[in-house]
Amino acid sequence: MDTPNKIYLTEEEIPKQWYNIRADMKVKPAPLISPATHKPLTFEELTPVFCDELVRQELDDTTPYIDIPEEVLGFYKMYRPSPVMRAYRLEKELGTPAKIYYKFEGNNTSGSHKLNSAIAQAYYAKKQGLKGVTTETGAGQWGTALSMACAYVGLECKVFMVKCSYEQKIYRREVMRSYGANATSSPSTATKIGQKILAETPNTTGSLGCAISEAVEAAVTQEGYRYVLGSVLGQVLLHQSVIGLETKTALDKYGIKPDIIIGCTGGGSNFGGLIAPYVGEMLRGENFYRLIAVEPTSCPSFTRGKYKYDFCDTGMITPLAKMYTLGSHFIPSPNHAGGLRYHGMSSILSQLYADGVIEAVAVEQKPVFESATLFARAEGILPAPESAHAVHSAVLEALACKDSGEAKTIVFGLSGTGYFDMTAYETFNNGTMDDHVPTDEELAVGFAGIPDVPEDI
Ligand SMILES: *Cc1c(COP(=O)(O)O)cnc(C)c1O
C-alpha cells in the first residue's frame, strides 16, 4: 500500500506516557558516581543541583512507563504530534528501491526536538517552587527551547552560551532574549570556573563542557535555582521517547516495519528518543532493527572514544558518568554542527552500543552538507547541520539498497531545521567548508584527562 506524503496523528494519539528504555535493559546503564568517593550518587546528593522530580526520573531504572503531566501534554499539543513524512522525491532523486521516512521535529519556533524535554524540565522546576534554572547551550537550540518553555511556565532562565556560538549565532541569542532569558557568553567572568578558564586560555572559543561547569556553578551558588541539561541524561532520553512513540503509532497505522532507524548523536537524546519503542522490542526479544547513530568525524565519541567513567564538563565539577568519551578536555575544531560537539555520550546509549544493540558511524562535514542540500531541494525542508548527519547516513543506506536491489524501509530523525545556521550553509555554498578529523595524537591528549576509576572497563 502506498503511504501518504505525511502521516499525521490526532492530538488524542500523542502518547500519554513516556517510555523508559532502562526498564527493559538487562545490563543497566552505569549510575552517575561521585568523583570523590566513586559511589553512586543518591537522591540527597543530586537534588542540590537538579530538580527533585527530575532526579527521581534520573535514578529510575525500572519503571517502564511514566505519565506525562497534563500541563506538559497541553504544551505538546501546541506543536505535536509532529508528522512522519515519506521522502518520495528524495527516493526518486536517488533512484533507490528503498522506502525512506523521516520524523520531523523542527516544526516549532526553537526549531528542534529539544522543546520536548525543555517543557518537561521547566514544568517540574516550577512545580517545585523554584525561581529559575541555569543551563548551557552549544549551537543555541537548547537555549532557545528552554527559554520558550520557561517563558510559558513563568520561570527565570540563565543560559551560558558557548562563546563561538554567542558571537556567530546572533539570531538564536536574540530569540532567547526575546523570550525573556538571560544569555551570557561562555567562558564568562560571572563564575569562578569561567574566570579560571579565561585566565588559562584567554583566546578559547569555549566548549560545551566549559559552559556546563559555569551553569552548574551558577545554579548551586544561587538560592532557588537548579541546573537543567538538554541532552545526555536518562531523564532527557525519557522525555524524548515521545518522538519514537509517535513514530511507531504512525507507522503501525500503515503496517510499516522499519529495517533501519537512523539518528544523529551529540549527547544522544533525539536518537535515543526516536529508537525508544523499537529498542524496547529488541531488548524484549520481540523484533530486530538496525539502529544507527551518526556522529561527525571531528567529534567521534562512539567510534573512537573510550568507554570510561568521565566528567561531563571541562571544569570537572559534575558527577562522573560512564560513557563513550573523548575526555572532558577534548575541544573539537569549530565544526558547523554545534549540537554534535559534545565530548561524551548518553550512558544509556553507551551501554546499548557496548552490548551491540546499536551501531555507530562517523561522517565528514562536506558530504553531509551535500546530502543536506540534496534533501532540501527534493523535500523542501532545510535540515539543521546536526540533522543533516542523519540525512546523509540515510542517503548512504538508500544508495546501498540501490546497489543490492533491496527495498528496505529506512526511518530517520530530522531533529531540526537549519534556518538559524546559515553561516554553515554559506561556507558550504562558497566552497570553503573544511573539516578537521583529529589525529590519534590529538585524541590522546583528551584521553589523558579521563580520571582513573577502579571498577571501570
Ligand atoms: C542538540 C541537537 C542535536 C544533538 O543532540 P542530541 O541530544 O544528540 O539529540 C541534534 N539535532 C538537533 C537539531 C539539535 O538541536
Side-chain angles (χ1 to χ4, degrees):
M1 169 171 50
D2 260 7
T3 45
N5 278 264
K6 293 187 207 71
I7 309 177
Y8 273 124
L9 300 177
T10 66
E11 282 182 3
E12 282 315 300
E13 289 171 303
I14 298 176
K16 308 276 186 299
Q17 295 179 311
W18 292 302
Y19 167 63
N20 183 7
I21 300 175
R22 289 167 288 178
D24 282 309
M25 290 171 73
K26 284 189 192 71
V27 185
K28 302 292 181 195
L32 293 170
I33 62 171
S34 149
T37 64
H38 294 171
K39 295 242 160 54
L41 287 163
T42 60
F43 180 80
E44 289 72 27
E45 290 169 311
L46 286 165
T47 44
V49 181
F50 300 104
C51 307
D52 295 358
E53 191 55 36
L54 294 168
V55 171
R56 266 180 218 111
Q57 294 180 353
E58 197 58 37
L59 296 176
D60 190 340
D61 277 352
T62 52
T63 312
Y65 289 95
I66 293 175
D67 286 344
I68 303 175
E70 269 309 314
E71 294 84 345
V72 174
L73 263 180
F75 187 85
Y76 278 174
K77 285 178 186 169
M78 298 201 306
Y79 67 100
R80 307 202 69 83
S82 72
V84 170
M85 319 280 285
R86 172 83 183 263
Y88 277 118
R89 281 160 301 270
L90 180 66
E91 290 169 16
K92 195 154 167 252
E93 201 66 39
L94 295 171
T96 177
K99 299 182 179 75
I100 308 174
Y101 296 86
Y102 58 96
K103 175 72 165 167
F104 180 47
E105 288 293 318
N107 55 353
N108 67 75
T109 298
S110 75
S112 83
H113 68 288
K114 293 207 170 66
L115 197 54
N116 301 331
S117 184
I119 185 59
Q121 299 194 40
Y123 165 78
Y124 290 123
K126 183 71 182 178
K127 201 172 155 220
Q128 194 178 324
L130 296 173
K131 202 167 142 208
V133 289
T134 68
T135 198
E136 75 291 334
T137 195
Q141 287 98 325
W142 170 243
T144 23
L146 189 69
S147 50
M148 283 176 75
C150 285
Y152 185 77
V153 303
L155 204 61
E156 286 176 22
C157 177
K158 296 193 178 176
V159 183
F160 290 88
M161 188 170 184
V162 178
K163 187 180 171 198
C164 57
S165 299
Y166 187 88
E167 287 168 0
Q168 260 182 23
K169 302 205 168 180
I170 44 173
Y171 293 131
R172 283 216 175 266
R173 189 179 81 205
E174 294 312 317
V175 174
M176 283 186 240
R177 293 179 63 210
S178 305
Y179 280 96
N182 170 300
T184 307
S185 172
S186 167
S188 77
T189 52
T191 64
K192 287 212 178 67
I193 189 72
Q195 291 164 9
K196 179 164 173 276
I197 292 171
L198 277 178
E200 284 165 7
T201 48
N203 297 324
T204 180
T205 50
S207 72
L208 255 191
C210 165
I212 294 174
S213 306
E214 289 206 86
V216 173
E217 184 186 322
V220 296
T221 53
Q222 290 178 89
E223 188 65 33
Y225 272 83
R226 291 293 186 281
Y227 166 69
V228 294
L229 183 58
S231 181
V232 185
L233 296 176
Q235 56 184 272
V236 184
L237 265 71
L238 174 76
H239 306 147
Q240 295 298 355
S241 67
V242 67
I243 304 173
L245 292 165
E246 278 184 12
T247 303
K248 189 156 188 323
T249 305
L251 293 181
D252 283 353
K253 276 194 177 180
Y254 289 85
I256 300 158
K257 178 181 178 287
D259 296 299
I260 307 173
I261 306 175
I262 299 170
C264 64
T265 45
S269 75
N270 86 84
F271 178 64
L274 175 68
I275 64 173
Y278 295 101
V279 98
E281 289 187 352
M282 276 177 79
L283 292 168
R284 296 189 300 271
E286 297 163 5
N287 250 320
F288 176 79
Y289 307 94
R290 275 187 67 206
L291 309 172
I292 308 175
V294 192
E295 60 186 15
T297 48
S298 58
C299 193
S301 329
F302 269 134
T303 51
R304 293 174 71 196
K306 301 233 185 283
Y307 191 29
K308 289 272 194 191
Y309 265 110
D310 194 11
F311 289 98
C312 302
D313 66 322
T314 316
M316 305 195 287
I317 60 172
T318 55
L320 299 178
K322 190 170 173 187
M323 56 187 175
Y324 282 87
T325 178
L326 298 167
S328 61
H329 284 81
F330 176 78
I331 296 190
S333 64
N335 160 297
H336 287 292
L340 305 183
R341 295 181 75 224
Y342 186 59
H343 69 273
M345 187 52 66
S346 142
S347 290
I348 297 176
L349 294 187
S350 292
Q351 189 58 47
L352 292 172
Y353 184 62
D355 290 341
V357 180
I358 62 172
E359 305 170 33
V361 292
V363 292
E364 286 192 42
Q365 194 164 224
K366 219 187 287 175
V368 161
F369 275 81
E370 276 160 16
S371 291
T373 45
L374 174 76
F375 177 85
R377 289 170 202 182
E379 295 292 319
I381 302 173
L382 193 72
E386 292 85 0
S387 322
H389 288 67
V391 174
H392 182 57
S393 173
V395 165
L396 294 181
E397 290 297 335
L399 291 175
C401 287
K402 185 177 177 177
D403 288 342
S404 68
E406 289 170 286
K408 288 188 182 152
T409 298
I410 301 169
V411 177
F412 73 89
L414 192 68
S415 50
T417 48
Y419 310 135
F420 292 120
D421 304 292
M422 296 318 294
T423 34
Y425 281 92
E426 182 188 20
T427 317
F428 176 74
N429 292 331
N430 287 344
T432 54
M433 176 168 276
D434 59 7
D435 204 3
H436 179 71
V437 180
T439 62
D440 288 343
E441 289 70 31
E442 283 165 338
L443 289 185
V445 177
F447 293 149
I450 300 177
D452 257 328
V453 177
E455 68 269 38
D456 226 358
I457 52 164

